[in-house]
Amino acid sequence: MAQDYASKQPHGFKNHVEKVAIVGIGGQVGRFIVEELLKSGKHKVTAITRADSTSKVPDGVEVRKVNYDDQQSLVEALLGQEVLIITMAVTAPPDQQDKLVEAAAAANVPWVLPNEFGGDPLHLEYKKDTMLGEPKAKALKHIEQLGKSSWIGIVCGFWYEYSLSFSHVTYGFDLKDRTVTFFDDGNTPINTSTWPQTGRAVAKLLGLKILPDDEDDKSACLASFKNKFVYVSSFNISQKDMLDSVMRVTGTSLTDWKVNHEPVKERFAAGQEELKSGNRLGFTKLLYARTFFPDQCGNFEKTRGLHNDILGLPKEDLDESTKIAIKMAEENGGAYVNKLWR
């Protein structure tokens, strides 16, 4: 397909997106995406929420209430929007994203950022083993088959603050009890992102021109990411790197910590068995364990490269992010995160 250029578009063509709708404004990353979009000053943001939603919405954000059992309400909410961002928990009803992308197509929304925000979708074994790959791939294919919208998937790994603070089933840490379980030797590096960095990545992406100006314009634009993935990251680190950061922040030493080791493939298998027995945390355990396999599936910086520089993302301070994780562990996670909603 020949490259389009802004200079060859009809009179009145606007070479940037302005109207952005988001689903999941009250979720883990949604609030940070909205904050960065508003901060950029380039976008009009609309929150798509359920009629009974109690999510807090910041000043400057329009709210449109919808009923997921009434497709027309979704279509009407998306009319005039140029981008739909979908952020939902993995526990959301499986047909919810389908309803949204179908409504986006009916409303002629040209761009959709689907509910990716995770591990590398191009690593086939990882996709199969975590059971997330097939439904996500189907969602992307569905967008393409509808023929009205293009998608861009954000690959950012796990949330650093959440994963370090949540419990031993994620990154292996219990910060309150000062225990850590290293998967294998604890030296496997993975890419992991903070919520603010992911919010910045989305805002920077949507701040790009849609098309290059002309044949001589080699700057990044949205069209270059059409139906592709954007790889971003805050840190490329191992569990041992995380522990070193925690010790610096807390002023502790290795003698203050209980360090266990577990073969990562055994941990993955244990998660599978726990899930089969009805323990939903087994899925979390297997998902995180699979990311630390020695096949580099979690190290997409090495296998795919990053788009951080293209998007102009800043370098972050690992210890500052670790401080937030420790605060979250002390204040029961959500209570502390709510303080960050400015």
Side-chain angles (χ1 to χ4, degrees):
M1 182 180 294
Q3 172 68 60
D4 281 336
Y5 298 102
S7 59
K8 296 184 178 180
Q9 300 308 305
H11 178 72
F13 172 74
K14 183 181 64 174
N15 200 21
H16 63 277
V17 297
E18 181 181 9
K19 296 180 180 179
V20 179
I22 182 168
V23 174
I25 191 172
Q28 290 181 330
V29 74
R31 62 188 65 192
F32 294 94
I33 292 174
V34 169
E35 182 174 326
E36 292 297 329
L37 288 171
L38 293 175
K39 191 184 298 181
S40 76
K42 297 180 178 181
H43 308 286
K44 294 179 181 178
V45 181
T46 297
I48 307 297
T49 68
R50 294 181 181 275
D52 59 354
S53 173
T54 58
S55 295
K56 185 177 179 182
V57 176
D59 293 339
V61 175
E62 181 181 349
V63 177
R64 294 187 184 178
K65 302 282 189 178
V66 299
N67 176 359
Y68 280 92
D69 294 324
D70 177 5
Q71 189 71 352
Q72 189 56 33
S73 77
L74 293 172
V75 175
E76 291 174 359
L78 292 174
L79 286 173
Q81 299 297 321
E82 296 165 276
V83 182
L84 169 62
I85 303 170
I86 304 173
T87 68
M88 301 185 300
V90 294
T91 54
D95 65 342
Q96 190 163 305
Q97 178 159 252
D98 286 342
K99 292 178 179 179
L100 286 163
V101 300
E102 288 165 6
N108 293 306
V109 178
W111 298 95
V112 175
L113 273 61
N115 196 39
E116 287 288 334
F117 301 101
D120 184 5
L122 298 181
H123 194 290
L124 300 183
E125 291 302 312
Y126 174 81
K127 285 171 59 176
K128 182 183 72 173
D129 290 345
T130 59
M131 300 171 285
L132 292 176
E134 184 176 350
K136 287 191 173 186
K138 283 183 177 179
L140 301 182
K141 186 175 182 180
H142 191 39
I143 294 170
E144 293 179 19
Q145 289 175 333
L146 288 167
K148 295 295 185 68
S149 310
S150 300
W151 59 265
I152 301 177
I154 304 296
V155 182
C156 53
F158 294 120
W159 315 127
Y160 178 69
E161 315 94 313
Y162 170 82
S163 302
L164 184 61
S165 68
F166 179 69
S167 82
H168 63 90
V169 301
T170 47
Y171 280 166
F173 285 79
D174 188 322
L175 295 176
K176 288 184 178 180
D177 291 343
R178 291 184 179 171
T179 63
V180 59
T181 298
F182 285 150
F183 314 150
D184 293 336
D185 61 4
N187 283 316
T188 302
I190 64 163
N191 285 101
T192 182
S193 297
T194 65
W195 286 318
Q197 185 79 320
T198 308
R200 284 189 289 267
V202 172
K204 292 284 190 179
L205 175 69
L206 297 184
L208 297 176
K209 291 180 289 189
I210 298 173
L211 297 172
D213 294 329
D214 51 36
E215 293 87 344
D216 297 323
D217 184 2
K218 306 302 180 184
S219 59
C221 59
L222 271 183
S224 61
F225 294 110
K226 178 181 178 180
N227 295 345
K228 295 179 182 178
F229 296 101
V230 174
Y231 288 83
V232 296
S233 176
S234 295
F235 312 112
N236 183 261
I237 52 176
S238 67
Q239 288 177 290
K240 285 189 174 179
D241 295 327
M242 297 177 200
L243 179 57
D244 286 344
S245 178
V246 170
M247 290 191 295
R248 288 193 298 269
V249 169
T250 58
T252 57
S253 64
L254 197 55
T255 57
D256 299 311
W257 286 77
K258 181 180 180 182
V259 178
N260 304 307
H261 290 80
E262 183 177 8
V264 71
K265 293 186 177 180
E266 290 183 10
R267 185 178 179 89
F268 174 76
Q272 289 180 307
E273 292 304 312
E274 290 171 18
L275 181 60
K276 288 178 184 177
S277 69
N279 181 355
R280 293 176 65 180
L281 280 178
F283 176 71
T284 305
K285 178 182 283 189
L286 73 85
L287 182 63
Y288 276 80
R290 184 61 183 84
T291 303
F292 284 89
F293 269 29
D295 61 3
Q296 301 286 334
C297 68
N299 189 5
F300 53 77
E301 179 172 339
K302 179 177 181 180
T303 58
R304 311 289 178 201
L306 297 179
H307 294 104
N308 284 38
D309 289 344
I310 291 175
L311 297 178
L313 297 179
K315 303 290 186 184
E316 293 175 280
D317 188 309
L318 175 60
D319 289 358
E320 289 301 314
S321 298
T322 298
K323 287 178 185 178
I324 293 173
I326 291 170
K327 277 286 187 181
M328 288 175 62
E330 292 172 349
E331 300 185 22
N332 199 22
Y336 180 75
V337 173
N338 285 335
K339 294 180 181 178
L340 303 178
W341 186 227
R342 298 183 287 276

